[in-house]
Short mmCIF file of all heavy atoms in Angstrom, two decimals:
data_model
loop_
_atom_site.label_atom_id
_atom_site.label_comp_id
_atom_site.label_asym_id
_atom_site.label_seq_id
_atom_site.Cartn_x
_atom_site.Cartn_y
_atom_site.Cartn_z
N MET A 16 121.31 27.00 25.41
CA MET A 16 121.36 28.38 25.91
C MET A 16 120.26 29.25 25.28
O MET A 16 119.79 30.11 25.93
CB MET A 16 122.79 28.91 25.59
CG MET A 16 123.28 29.93 26.46
SD MET A 16 125.07 30.03 26.18
CE MET A 16 125.16 31.80 26.29
N VAL A 17 119.92 28.99 24.10
CA VAL A 17 118.81 29.71 23.47
C VAL A 17 117.44 29.23 23.75
O VAL A 17 116.54 29.99 23.82
CB VAL A 17 119.06 29.71 21.92
CG1 VAL A 17 117.93 30.37 21.23
CG2 VAL A 17 120.43 30.39 21.57
N MET A 18 117.36 27.88 24.05
CA MET A 18 116.03 27.36 24.22
C MET A 18 115.26 27.79 25.48
O MET A 18 114.08 27.97 25.40
CB MET A 18 116.09 25.81 24.29
CG MET A 18 116.63 25.21 22.98
SD MET A 18 115.64 25.71 21.53
CE MET A 18 114.12 25.01 21.86
N LEU A 19 115.99 28.04 26.58
CA LEU A 19 115.25 28.47 27.73
C LEU A 19 114.58 29.84 27.58
O LEU A 19 113.36 30.01 27.85
CB LEU A 19 116.13 28.49 28.94
CG LEU A 19 115.51 28.85 30.30
CD1 LEU A 19 114.35 27.94 30.67
CD2 LEU A 19 116.56 29.02 31.34
N PRO A 20 115.30 30.90 27.14
CA PRO A 20 114.64 32.14 26.91
C PRO A 20 113.52 32.04 25.78
O PRO A 20 112.49 32.66 25.96
CB PRO A 20 115.71 33.09 26.43
CG PRO A 20 117.02 32.49 26.90
CD PRO A 20 116.74 31.02 26.91
N MET A 21 113.78 31.24 24.77
CA MET A 21 112.77 31.11 23.70
C MET A 21 111.56 30.38 24.24
O MET A 21 110.46 30.84 23.95
CB MET A 21 113.38 30.28 22.58
CG MET A 21 112.44 30.30 21.35
SD MET A 21 113.22 29.74 19.89
CE MET A 21 113.16 27.98 20.04
N SER A 22 111.71 29.47 25.12
CA SER A 22 110.54 28.77 25.69
C SER A 22 109.72 29.66 26.55
O SER A 22 108.53 29.64 26.60
CB SER A 22 110.98 27.47 26.44
OG SER A 22 111.70 27.88 27.56
N ILE A 23 110.39 30.55 27.30
CA ILE A 23 109.62 31.56 28.17
C ILE A 23 108.89 32.49 27.23
O ILE A 23 107.71 32.78 27.53
CB ILE A 23 110.65 32.28 29.07
CG1 ILE A 23 111.28 31.33 30.07
CG2 ILE A 23 109.93 33.41 29.76
CD1 ILE A 23 112.41 31.92 30.86
N VAL A 24 109.47 32.95 26.15
CA VAL A 24 108.85 33.84 25.25
C VAL A 24 107.62 33.17 24.61
O VAL A 24 106.53 33.73 24.53
CB VAL A 24 109.78 34.40 24.17
CG1 VAL A 24 109.00 35.12 23.07
CG2 VAL A 24 110.83 35.34 24.84
N VAL A 25 107.78 31.90 24.17
CA VAL A 25 106.74 31.20 23.50
C VAL A 25 105.63 30.93 24.43
O VAL A 25 104.41 30.97 24.09
CB VAL A 25 107.30 29.95 22.82
CG1 VAL A 25 106.17 29.05 22.32
CG2 VAL A 25 108.15 30.28 21.70
N LEU A 26 105.93 30.60 25.73
CA LEU A 26 104.79 30.31 26.62
C LEU A 26 104.05 31.59 27.03
O LEU A 26 102.85 31.53 27.25
CB LEU A 26 105.43 29.73 27.95
CG LEU A 26 105.87 28.23 27.77
CD1 LEU A 26 106.44 27.71 29.01
CD2 LEU A 26 104.65 27.36 27.34
N THR A 27 104.68 32.71 27.00
CA THR A 27 103.97 33.97 27.32
C THR A 27 103.39 34.63 26.13
O THR A 27 102.32 35.29 26.24
CB THR A 27 104.97 34.99 28.03
OG1 THR A 27 106.07 35.27 27.17
CG2 THR A 27 105.37 34.41 29.36
N HIS A 28 103.94 34.46 24.98
CA HIS A 28 103.43 35.00 23.74
C HIS A 28 103.48 34.01 22.63
O HIS A 28 104.40 33.85 21.81
CB HIS A 28 104.28 36.21 23.24
CG HIS A 28 104.30 37.37 24.24
ND1 HIS A 28 103.29 38.14 24.55
CD2 HIS A 28 105.32 37.78 25.05
CE1 HIS A 28 103.58 38.97 25.48
NE2 HIS A 28 104.89 38.82 25.79
N PRO A 29 102.42 33.15 22.56
CA PRO A 29 102.49 32.04 21.58
C PRO A 29 102.57 32.45 20.15
O PRO A 29 103.08 31.72 19.26
CB PRO A 29 101.15 31.28 21.83
CG PRO A 29 100.67 31.76 23.15
CD PRO A 29 101.29 33.08 23.35
N GLN A 30 102.17 33.69 19.77
CA GLN A 30 102.28 34.16 18.39
C GLN A 30 103.74 34.33 18.00
O GLN A 30 104.04 34.45 16.80
CB GLN A 30 101.50 35.44 18.21
CG GLN A 30 102.00 36.63 18.92
CD GLN A 30 101.50 36.76 20.36
OE1 GLN A 30 100.92 35.84 20.95
NE2 GLN A 30 101.76 37.95 20.95
N ALA A 31 104.67 34.40 18.99
CA ALA A 31 106.10 34.47 18.64
C ALA A 31 106.67 33.19 18.08
O ALA A 31 107.82 33.25 17.62
CB ALA A 31 106.88 34.96 19.85
N ALA A 32 105.93 32.05 18.19
CA ALA A 32 106.51 30.81 17.80
C ALA A 32 106.51 30.74 16.29
O ALA A 32 107.25 29.84 15.75
CB ALA A 32 105.71 29.69 18.40
N ALA A 33 105.72 31.46 15.58
CA ALA A 33 105.69 31.44 14.07
C ALA A 33 105.54 30.05 13.50
O ALA A 33 106.34 29.57 12.78
CB ALA A 33 106.92 32.14 13.52
N GLY A 34 104.43 29.32 13.90
CA GLY A 34 104.19 28.00 13.35
C GLY A 34 104.78 26.86 14.08
O GLY A 34 104.46 25.70 13.77
N MET A 35 105.49 27.11 15.13
CA MET A 35 106.14 25.96 15.92
C MET A 35 105.07 25.53 16.88
O MET A 35 104.45 26.34 17.61
CB MET A 35 107.32 26.45 16.63
CG MET A 35 107.96 25.45 17.49
SD MET A 35 109.30 26.04 18.56
CE MET A 35 110.41 26.76 17.33
N PRO A 36 104.76 24.25 17.01
CA PRO A 36 103.80 23.77 17.94
C PRO A 36 104.30 24.04 19.38
O PRO A 36 105.50 24.00 19.65
CB PRO A 36 103.77 22.22 17.73
CG PRO A 36 104.44 22.02 16.48
CD PRO A 36 105.30 23.15 16.22
N PHE A 37 103.34 24.37 20.31
CA PHE A 37 103.76 24.82 21.61
C PHE A 37 104.39 23.67 22.39
O PHE A 37 105.20 23.91 23.29
CB PHE A 37 102.45 25.33 22.41
CG PHE A 37 101.55 24.20 22.78
CD1 PHE A 37 101.67 23.65 24.00
CD2 PHE A 37 100.54 23.80 21.91
CE1 PHE A 37 100.81 22.62 24.40
CE2 PHE A 37 99.64 22.79 22.30
CZ PHE A 37 99.77 22.19 23.56
N TRP A 38 104.07 22.44 22.14
CA TRP A 38 104.64 21.32 22.86
C TRP A 38 106.03 21.00 22.42
O TRP A 38 106.74 20.21 23.12
CB TRP A 38 103.73 20.07 22.72
CG TRP A 38 103.32 19.83 21.35
CD1 TRP A 38 102.19 20.22 20.74
CD2 TRP A 38 104.06 19.02 20.39
NE1 TRP A 38 102.14 19.72 19.40
CE2 TRP A 38 103.22 19.04 19.15
CE3 TRP A 38 105.31 18.39 20.32
CZ2 TRP A 38 103.72 18.42 18.06
CZ3 TRP A 38 105.72 17.79 19.21
CH2 TRP A 38 104.91 17.79 18.14
N LEU A 39 106.54 21.50 21.34
CA LEU A 39 107.81 21.20 20.82
C LEU A 39 108.88 21.72 21.82
O LEU A 39 109.96 21.10 21.98
CB LEU A 39 108.08 21.80 19.38
CG LEU A 39 109.38 21.48 18.73
CD1 LEU A 39 109.36 19.93 18.50
CD2 LEU A 39 109.47 22.17 17.45
N ILE A 40 108.67 22.86 22.43
CA ILE A 40 109.71 23.41 23.38
C ILE A 40 109.96 22.51 24.54
O ILE A 40 111.08 22.19 24.89
CB ILE A 40 109.22 24.83 23.85
CG1 ILE A 40 109.04 25.84 22.66
CG2 ILE A 40 110.25 25.39 24.85
CD1 ILE A 40 110.28 26.06 21.91
N GLY A 41 108.83 21.96 25.09
CA GLY A 41 108.97 21.04 26.18
C GLY A 41 109.68 19.71 25.73
O GLY A 41 110.42 19.10 26.53
N LEU A 42 109.34 19.29 24.54
CA LEU A 42 109.94 17.99 23.98
C LEU A 42 111.47 18.27 23.78
O LEU A 42 112.28 17.39 24.09
CB LEU A 42 109.29 17.71 22.66
CG LEU A 42 109.61 16.27 22.13
CD1 LEU A 42 109.17 15.23 23.06
CD2 LEU A 42 108.85 16.15 20.80
N ILE A 43 111.81 19.41 23.36
CA ILE A 43 113.25 19.74 23.17
C ILE A 43 113.92 19.79 24.49
O ILE A 43 115.07 19.25 24.65
CB ILE A 43 113.47 21.00 22.36
CG1 ILE A 43 112.96 20.78 20.92
CG2 ILE A 43 114.91 21.49 22.36
CD1 ILE A 43 112.91 22.09 20.08
N ALA A 44 113.31 20.34 25.52
CA ALA A 44 113.93 20.42 26.85
C ALA A 44 114.12 19.00 27.42
O ALA A 44 115.22 18.70 28.02
CB ALA A 44 113.07 21.26 27.76
N ILE A 45 113.15 18.14 27.23
CA ILE A 45 113.22 16.78 27.67
C ILE A 45 114.42 16.01 26.95
O ILE A 45 115.17 15.36 27.54
CB ILE A 45 111.94 16.01 27.50
CG1 ILE A 45 110.88 16.60 28.53
CG2 ILE A 45 112.08 14.54 27.72
CD1 ILE A 45 109.51 16.05 28.28
N GLY A 46 114.55 16.36 25.64
CA GLY A 46 115.61 15.84 24.86
C GLY A 46 116.98 16.16 25.34
O GLY A 46 117.94 15.42 25.45
N PHE A 47 117.11 17.52 25.78
CA PHE A 47 118.39 17.93 26.23
C PHE A 47 118.71 17.33 27.62
O PHE A 47 119.88 16.92 27.78
CB PHE A 47 118.36 19.49 26.50
CG PHE A 47 118.61 20.31 25.22
CD1 PHE A 47 117.90 21.43 24.98
CD2 PHE A 47 119.56 19.92 24.30
CE1 PHE A 47 118.05 22.15 23.86
CE2 PHE A 47 119.72 20.61 23.14
CZ PHE A 47 119.02 21.82 22.89
N VAL A 48 117.79 17.16 28.46
CA VAL A 48 117.99 16.48 29.69
C VAL A 48 118.35 14.99 29.50
O VAL A 48 119.37 14.51 30.12
CB VAL A 48 116.78 16.58 30.62
CG1 VAL A 48 116.93 15.73 31.89
CG2 VAL A 48 116.61 18.04 31.05
N ALA A 49 117.67 14.31 28.67
CA ALA A 49 117.92 12.95 28.34
C ALA A 49 119.36 12.84 27.70
O ALA A 49 120.11 11.86 28.00
CB ALA A 49 116.91 12.42 27.38
N PHE A 50 119.78 13.68 26.78
CA PHE A 50 121.07 13.66 26.25
C PHE A 50 122.14 13.88 27.33
O PHE A 50 123.20 13.13 27.34
CB PHE A 50 121.24 14.77 25.21
CG PHE A 50 122.62 14.87 24.59
CD1 PHE A 50 123.02 13.94 23.68
CD2 PHE A 50 123.47 15.84 25.00
CE1 PHE A 50 124.30 13.97 23.10
CE2 PHE A 50 124.80 15.89 24.46
CZ PHE A 50 125.18 14.97 23.54
N ALA A 51 121.97 14.82 28.31
CA ALA A 51 122.96 15.05 29.31
C ALA A 51 123.02 13.87 30.22
O ALA A 51 124.16 13.43 30.55
CB ALA A 51 122.54 16.29 30.07
N LEU A 52 121.89 13.27 30.57
CA LEU A 52 121.99 12.03 31.42
C LEU A 52 122.62 10.86 30.71
O LEU A 52 123.44 10.19 31.19
CB LEU A 52 120.59 11.68 31.88
CG LEU A 52 119.91 12.61 32.90
CD1 LEU A 52 118.52 12.22 33.15
CD2 LEU A 52 120.71 12.69 34.21
N GLY A 53 122.32 10.67 29.46
CA GLY A 53 122.92 9.62 28.64
C GLY A 53 124.41 9.79 28.46
O GLY A 53 125.19 8.81 28.52
N TYR A 54 124.85 11.04 28.24
CA TYR A 54 126.25 11.29 28.13
C TYR A 54 127.02 11.00 29.42
O TYR A 54 128.09 10.37 29.41
CB TYR A 54 126.52 12.73 27.69
CG TYR A 54 127.95 13.09 27.52
CD1 TYR A 54 128.67 12.71 26.43
CD2 TYR A 54 128.60 13.84 28.50
CE1 TYR A 54 130.01 13.01 26.31
CE2 TYR A 54 129.94 14.15 28.40
CZ TYR A 54 130.61 13.76 27.30
OH TYR A 54 131.95 14.04 27.18
N THR A 55 126.39 11.38 30.58
CA THR A 55 127.04 11.07 31.90
C THR A 55 127.05 9.62 32.08
O THR A 55 128.14 9.09 32.53
CB THR A 55 126.16 11.76 32.97
OG1 THR A 55 126.15 13.15 32.71
CG2 THR A 55 126.81 11.54 34.35
N MET A 56 126.02 8.90 31.80
CA MET A 56 126.09 7.39 31.94
C MET A 56 127.15 6.75 31.06
O MET A 56 127.80 5.81 31.41
CB MET A 56 124.69 6.83 31.77
CG MET A 56 123.74 7.22 32.79
SD MET A 56 122.05 6.75 32.66
CE MET A 56 121.93 5.38 31.54
N PHE A 57 127.25 7.30 29.77
CA PHE A 57 128.23 6.75 28.85
C PHE A 57 129.65 7.00 29.30
O PHE A 57 130.51 6.05 29.29
CB PHE A 57 128.03 7.44 27.51
CG PHE A 57 129.01 7.04 26.47
CD1 PHE A 57 129.06 5.77 25.91
CD2 PHE A 57 130.02 7.93 26.08
CE1 PHE A 57 129.99 5.39 25.00
CE2 PHE A 57 130.98 7.59 25.16
CZ PHE A 57 131.05 6.30 24.64
N VAL A 58 129.91 8.10 29.82
CA VAL A 58 131.29 8.45 30.37
C VAL A 58 131.58 7.59 31.54
O VAL A 58 132.68 7.05 31.74
CB VAL A 58 131.42 9.95 30.67
CG1 VAL A 58 132.70 10.27 31.44
CG2 VAL A 58 131.44 10.77 29.31
N ASP A 59 130.60 7.40 32.45
CA ASP A 59 130.80 6.58 33.65
C ASP A 59 130.95 5.10 33.29
O ASP A 59 131.57 4.36 33.98
CB ASP A 59 129.56 6.71 34.63
CG ASP A 59 129.58 8.04 35.38
OD1 ASP A 59 130.61 8.71 35.35
OD2 ASP A 59 128.51 8.37 35.90
N TRP A 60 130.40 4.68 32.11
CA TRP A 60 130.48 3.31 31.70
C TRP A 60 131.97 2.95 31.34
O TRP A 60 132.37 1.86 31.59
CB TRP A 60 129.61 3.19 30.49
CG TRP A 60 129.60 1.75 29.87
CD1 TRP A 60 129.25 0.59 30.49
CD2 TRP A 60 129.97 1.45 28.53
NE1 TRP A 60 129.40 -0.38 29.58
CE2 TRP A 60 129.85 0.07 28.40
CE3 TRP A 60 130.31 2.25 27.47
CZ2 TRP A 60 130.13 -0.53 27.23
CZ3 TRP A 60 130.59 1.66 26.26
CH2 TRP A 60 130.49 0.26 26.18
N PHE A 61 132.70 3.78 30.66
CA PHE A 61 134.06 3.41 30.25
C PHE A 61 135.14 4.01 31.18
O PHE A 61 136.34 3.77 30.94
CB PHE A 61 134.31 3.70 28.80
CG PHE A 61 134.46 5.15 28.46
CD1 PHE A 61 135.64 5.85 28.62
CD2 PHE A 61 133.37 5.86 27.89
CE1 PHE A 61 135.77 7.18 28.31
CE2 PHE A 61 133.53 7.16 27.63
CZ PHE A 61 134.69 7.85 27.75
N THR A 62 134.79 4.67 32.28
CA THR A 62 135.78 5.16 33.16
C THR A 62 136.19 3.96 34.04
O THR A 62 135.40 3.20 34.49
CB THR A 62 135.15 6.19 34.11
OG1 THR A 62 134.64 7.26 33.31
CG2 THR A 62 136.19 6.71 35.11
N PRO A 63 137.49 3.75 34.22
CA PRO A 63 137.97 2.54 34.85
C PRO A 63 137.54 2.56 36.38
O PRO A 63 137.51 3.75 36.96
CB PRO A 63 139.46 2.61 34.73
CG PRO A 63 139.80 3.86 34.14
CD PRO A 63 138.63 4.52 33.60
N PRO A 64 137.27 1.53 36.99
CA PRO A 64 136.83 1.52 38.41
C PRO A 64 138.04 2.00 39.27
O PRO A 64 139.18 1.62 39.02
CB PRO A 64 136.50 0.10 38.70
CG PRO A 64 137.02 -0.74 37.60
CD PRO A 64 137.20 0.22 36.48
N GLY A 65 137.72 2.79 40.29
CA GLY A 65 138.70 3.32 41.19
C GLY A 65 139.53 4.45 40.65
O GLY A 65 140.51 4.88 41.28
N ALA A 66 139.16 5.02 39.41
CA ALA A 66 139.88 6.09 38.95
C ALA A 66 139.61 7.35 39.79
O ALA A 66 138.54 7.56 40.24
CB ALA A 66 139.45 6.38 37.49
N GLU A 67 140.68 8.17 40.01
CA GLU A 67 140.54 9.39 40.78
C GLU A 67 140.09 10.50 39.86
O GLU A 67 140.43 10.55 38.67
CB GLU A 67 141.91 9.76 41.39
CG GLU A 67 142.41 8.77 42.41
CD GLU A 67 143.71 9.25 43.10
OE1 GLU A 67 143.95 10.45 43.00
OE2 GLU A 67 144.39 8.45 43.62
N ASP A 68 139.31 11.37 40.48
CA ASP A 68 138.84 12.54 39.77
C ASP A 68 139.92 13.59 39.75
O ASP A 68 140.26 14.15 40.76
CB ASP A 68 137.56 13.10 40.52
CG ASP A 68 136.91 14.18 39.70
OD1 ASP A 68 137.36 14.51 38.61
OD2 ASP A 68 135.88 14.72 40.27
N PRO A 69 140.41 13.98 38.58
CA PRO A 69 141.51 14.99 38.56
C PRO A 69 141.00 16.44 38.90
O PRO A 69 141.87 17.22 39.29
CB PRO A 69 142.03 14.94 37.10
CG PRO A 69 140.90 14.39 36.32
CD PRO A 69 140.10 13.51 37.29
N PHE A 70 139.70 16.61 38.91
CA PHE A 70 139.27 17.94 39.20
C PHE A 70 138.66 18.07 40.62
O PHE A 70 137.95 18.99 40.93
CB PHE A 70 138.18 18.32 38.19
CG PHE A 70 138.72 18.49 36.84
CD1 PHE A 70 138.49 17.47 35.90
CD2 PHE A 70 139.55 19.48 36.49
CE1 PHE A 70 139.03 17.54 34.60
CE2 PHE A 70 140.07 19.54 35.15
CZ PHE A 70 139.83 18.59 34.26
N GLU A 71 138.87 17.07 41.48
CA GLU A 71 138.40 17.01 42.83
C GLU A 71 138.81 18.21 43.64
O GLU A 71 138.10 18.76 44.39
CB GLU A 71 138.74 15.73 43.50
CG GLU A 71 138.26 15.57 44.90
CD GLU A 71 136.66 15.43 44.84
OE1 GLU A 71 136.12 14.85 43.99
OE2 GLU A 71 136.05 16.02 45.85
N ARG A 72 140.11 18.67 43.46
CA ARG A 72 140.65 19.82 44.17
C ARG A 72 139.91 21.08 43.85
O ARG A 72 139.93 22.07 44.64
CB ARG A 72 142.09 19.94 43.97
CG ARG A 72 142.47 20.21 42.53
CD ARG A 72 143.96 20.33 42.37
NE ARG A 72 144.30 20.26 41.03
CZ ARG A 72 145.51 20.27 40.57
NH1 ARG A 72 146.49 20.47 41.42
NH2 ARG A 72 145.79 20.11 39.28
N TYR A 73 139.12 21.17 42.72
CA TYR A 73 138.46 22.39 42.42
C TYR A 73 137.06 22.42 42.91
O TYR A 73 136.41 23.44 42.80
CB TYR A 73 138.52 22.57 40.87
CG TYR A 73 139.88 22.66 40.30
CD1 TYR A 73 140.33 21.71 39.51
CD2 TYR A 73 140.69 23.75 40.58
CE1 TYR A 73 141.64 21.75 38.94
CE2 TYR A 73 142.01 23.84 40.06
CZ TYR A 73 142.48 22.79 39.28
OH TYR A 73 143.70 22.94 38.76
N ARG A 74 136.56 21.32 43.37
CA ARG A 74 135.20 21.28 43.91
C ARG A 74 135.10 21.77 45.34
O ARG A 74 136.06 21.65 46.06
CB ARG A 74 134.63 19.85 43.78
CG ARG A 74 134.68 19.30 42.41
CD ARG A 74 133.92 17.93 42.32
NE ARG A 74 134.34 17.15 41.25
CZ ARG A 74 134.07 17.35 39.98
NH1 ARG A 74 133.35 18.47 39.68
NH2 ARG A 74 134.46 16.59 38.99
N ARG A 75 133.92 22.24 45.69
CA ARG A 75 133.74 22.73 47.05
C ARG A 75 133.76 21.54 47.97
O ARG A 75 133.25 20.48 47.81
CB ARG A 75 132.42 23.32 47.21
CG ARG A 75 132.44 24.83 46.87
CD ARG A 75 131.12 25.42 47.41
NE ARG A 75 130.44 25.91 46.24
CZ ARG A 75 129.23 26.30 46.28
NH1 ARG A 75 128.47 26.31 47.34
NH2 ARG A 75 128.70 26.84 45.13
N GLN A 76 134.49 21.71 49.14
CA GLN A 76 134.49 20.68 50.17
C GLN A 76 133.30 20.88 51.05
O GLN A 76 133.00 21.97 51.50
CB GLN A 76 135.77 20.76 51.02
CG GLN A 76 137.03 20.62 50.20
CD GLN A 76 137.13 19.30 49.48
OE1 GLN A 76 136.73 18.29 49.99
NE2 GLN A 76 137.63 19.28 48.25
N ARG A 77 132.54 19.78 51.40
CA ARG A 77 131.35 19.91 52.21
C ARG A 77 131.58 19.47 53.54
O ARG A 77 132.34 18.68 53.97
CB ARG A 77 130.23 19.02 51.59
CG ARG A 77 129.86 19.64 50.20
CD ARG A 77 128.76 18.72 49.69
NE ARG A 77 128.51 19.17 48.28
CZ ARG A 77 127.53 18.87 47.60
NH1 ARG A 77 126.63 18.10 48.08
NH2 ARG A 77 127.39 19.26 46.35
#
C-alpha cells in the first residue's frame, strides 16, 4: 500500500529516495507480484479437486 505512492514520488523526484537505488522500487514491485502469484499457486495446490468456492455468490455474474 505504501510502495506504489513511494515509487511514484521516487520516479518523479529521485532526491526523495535518500540513498535508495532507483531500481529497488521496481524490484520490490516485482517481488510483490511474485509473492501474490506464488501464494495463489500454493493455495490452489492443496485445495481438493472439485471443491466449491464458498464466496461464489458474492462475485459478479457475467
Side-chain angles (χ1 to χ4, degrees):
M16 211 165 137
V17 172
M18 293 308 294
L19 180 64
M21 188 166 81
S22 66
I23 293 169
V24 168
V25 169
L26 287 175
T27 56
H28 301 289
Q30 68 274 14
M35 181 187 301
F37 72 93
W38 47 266
L39 186 64
I40 301 297
L42 192 62
I43 291 171
I45 290 170
F47 279 141
V48 169
F50 176 78
L52 290 174
Y54 179 76
T55 302
M56 289 172 26
F57 175 71
V58 169
D59 286 344
W60 176 60
F61 70 84
T62 302
E67 292 184 20
D68 185 5
F70 297 104
E71 183 65 36
R72 61 180 161 180
Y73 300 113
R74 300 187 204 289
R75 273 195 242 168
Q76 301 298 324
R77 295 181 189 194

